[in-house]
Amino acid sequence: MKANVDKRCIELGHYIYENKATVRKAAEVFGVSKSTVHIDVTKRLSAIAPSLAEQVDTVLQQNKAERHIRGGIATKEKYLSLKND
């Protein structure tokens, strides 16, 4: 059982790092909750693969810094699509 969790942590870490993915996108792709992804890549991954955990943390910090921009873009697109309908 623990081997499956460790494997998932590493796969999630690689996916997030290689695709610059958000926690939400990784959760969608792997079919697990956002909470599970977050715990896997922030807590468990640092014990399993510290260098990968650092790389993933860099991506997560970048995503956190940009999230207000993505939210604004999504809101703009929402209202533009309502206007066009």
Side-chain angles (χ1 to χ4, degrees):
M1 183 70 170
K2 183 161 173 38
N4 293 337
V5 174
D6 292 350
K7 182 180 175 188
R8 182 184 67 213
C9 292
I10 292 171
E11 289 175 357
L12 281 166
H14 283 295
Y15 179 79
I16 289 173
Y17 180 68
E18 291 168 2
N19 298 298
K20 308 294 184 223
T22 60
V23 169
R24 184 181 299 254
K25 183 63 178 175
E28 182 182 315
V29 169
F30 283 83
V32 294
S33 71
K34 294 182 297 182
S35 299
T36 300
V37 172
H38 191 268
I39 290 170
D40 282 354
V41 298
T42 58
K43 295 188 172 146
R44 294 181 181 138
L45 190 59
S46 60
I48 299 167
S51 61
L52 179 58
E54 287 179 24
Q55 294 171 333
V56 170
D57 186 55
T58 303
V59 173
L60 294 179
Q61 292 302 322
Q62 180 181 356
N63 287 341
K64 186 176 180 181
E66 295 173 351
R67 70 182 170 190
H68 68 282
I69 296 169
R70 281 193 296 271
I73 292 170
T75 302
K76 180 181 177 182
E77 290 174 358
K78 172 186 172 183
Y79 286 107
L80 283 175
S81 71
L82 290 175
K83 182 179 177 182
N84 291 336
D85 289 342

